[in-house]
Amino acid sequence: MHRLKQFKMQNFRFKMQNSKRLIYVLVAVLAFLTVTFNFSLTATAAAKHYTELQFAPLPEIKLPKYERYVLQNGLVVYLMEDHELPLVSGTAMVRAGSRWEPADKVGLASFTGAVMRTGGTKQHSPDKLNEILEQRAASVEVSINEAAASASFESLTEDVDTVFGLFAEIMQQPVFAQEKLDLAKTQAKGSIARRNDNPSDIASREFRKLIYGKDSPYGRITEYATVDAIAREDLVQFHQKYFYPNNTILGIVGDFDSKKMRSLIQAKFGSWARNPKFSKPTLPEVASANQGGVFFVNQPQLTQSSVLIGHLGGKFDSPDYAALDVLNEVFNGFGGRLFNELRSRQGLAYSVYGLWSPRFDYPGMFIAGGQTRSDATVQFVKALQAQIKRVQAQPVTAAELARAKDSTLNSFVFNFQDPAQTLSRLMRYEYYGYPADFLFRYQKAVAATTAADVQRVAKQYLKPDNLVTLVVGNQTAIQPPLTQLAAQVTPIDVTIPSSQARN
């Protein structure tokens, strides 16, 4: 009897719960229909063309609170607390890069960064290191690119002591295990073997050679021979040459107490010996390898051409950087000249772009291009050239200027999406010797840019008579031929040199 009553009671509760759910659903549906109907009426009555929409001014962006100090050994430290999530992350920037590796050992910097992480430390084998990090859902990564070495970590707040300790070990005491170097070299050779699979990759790689020179640190590439020439001792020496506290900037952001973090940094990095004789490495010189010309990579299997045109550019610290960035927006995006003319009106390409692309401490490039049909290749190149000359000859309209500046200024907020991004920017500015408020100066300069400024920088910095033109495509299908662009078209051989392993 008791069980029967219990069963009935459970059945009653079940029915009541279902009834309540049904009522909730009906109420929610009714509310949704009411709101939707009212919204539809309102939207219909108040619909405006997008050009009539008005928005409030962008709020002033301020940097989050942070502190900067220097250890006695010269290590520069940035701390930025952020208690939104129980996470701590950090990055160390070291003044090292592939531009300072020997020409006959291209790839050395990349291998050094990779095997620093994968090769373990004096205290922890590679497997043990991975095990500890995986158990804590943490990470430590190291990479060395063209201009800087970067080591980073990410951890839950509760595990930061352990993870930061491993991070410090990897920075200071890597062992560069031979088997991990062998693996990295095998992977690099696999990448070399596949480097001609993508026509866009071919175009980007060969264009840098044409601008900077194939032997320039900014144009040379890894080959089988340079990989084979690299030994473990080269990695050790590269690390010993550059990894010092007085050549490093460390930034940490996240859920921590600054006083405790200072103590942790002192414990893990305070005894790292500085190099009193260290001096900043000299930057490689940069000069234009070509002052023009048409170059071609024949890929018979292609049905379209990848096109790049351009020349040597400038740096971020140019006083005209803001105006040049506004010029980029005149060229690019929906509503930009290249999109409207070459894609929408002439139907020559699905993607097309043109931009002044500076670098922090060496000249970047002005580069324009896109992908087009084989039989439209010549027309596409001529149309790009025409738009470059047009922006020099005619001032941009008030509408174009407003769109370009609004686009640039409205995207400015995305430079500060989270504290980690902001801290990274502060570190980069110090690394390259830029003022901490560089981005805010840029913002004010964009707002002050006029149509006359855009035309002036276009005339001053764009060199239509010195454009290097590169086409990667099907020679037979490109009609009319590229000789309509220049009497001499220089072929580029992208055959991959065979591997000759050293004994």
Side-chain angles (χ1 to χ4, degrees), residues 98-158:
S98 62
R99 56 186 174 182
W100 292 300
E101 65 192 2
D104 61 342
K105 295 182 179 181
V106 177
L108 171 59
S110 177
F111 289 148
T112 302
V115 185
M116 272 185 70
R117 168 60 184 87
T118 62
T121 69
K122 294 180 180 179
Q123 287 78 28
H124 295 90
S125 68
D127 290 342
K128 187 62 178 177
L129 191 63
N130 292 335
E131 179 184 345
I132 296 173
L133 292 171
E134 289 170 2
Q135 287 175 344
R136 291 162 176 78
S139 67
V140 176
E141 303 296 337
V142 183
S143 64
I144 303 179
N145 60 26
E146 179 181 83
S150 175
S152 62
F153 74 90
E154 186 166 319
S155 166
L156 291 170
T157 302
E158 62 188 39

Side-chain angles (χ1 to χ4, degrees), residues 327-344 350-355 403-404 407:
L327 173 62
N328 284 352
E329 291 300 321
V330 171
F331 277 139
N332 294 297
F334 292 99
R337 286 189 175 186
L338 297 182
F339 186 93
N340 287 346
E341 183 65 22
L342 276 74
R343 184 184 188 274
S344 298
Y350 181 77
S351 66
V352 59
Y353 54 87
L355 65 153
R403 186 195 71 84
S407 177

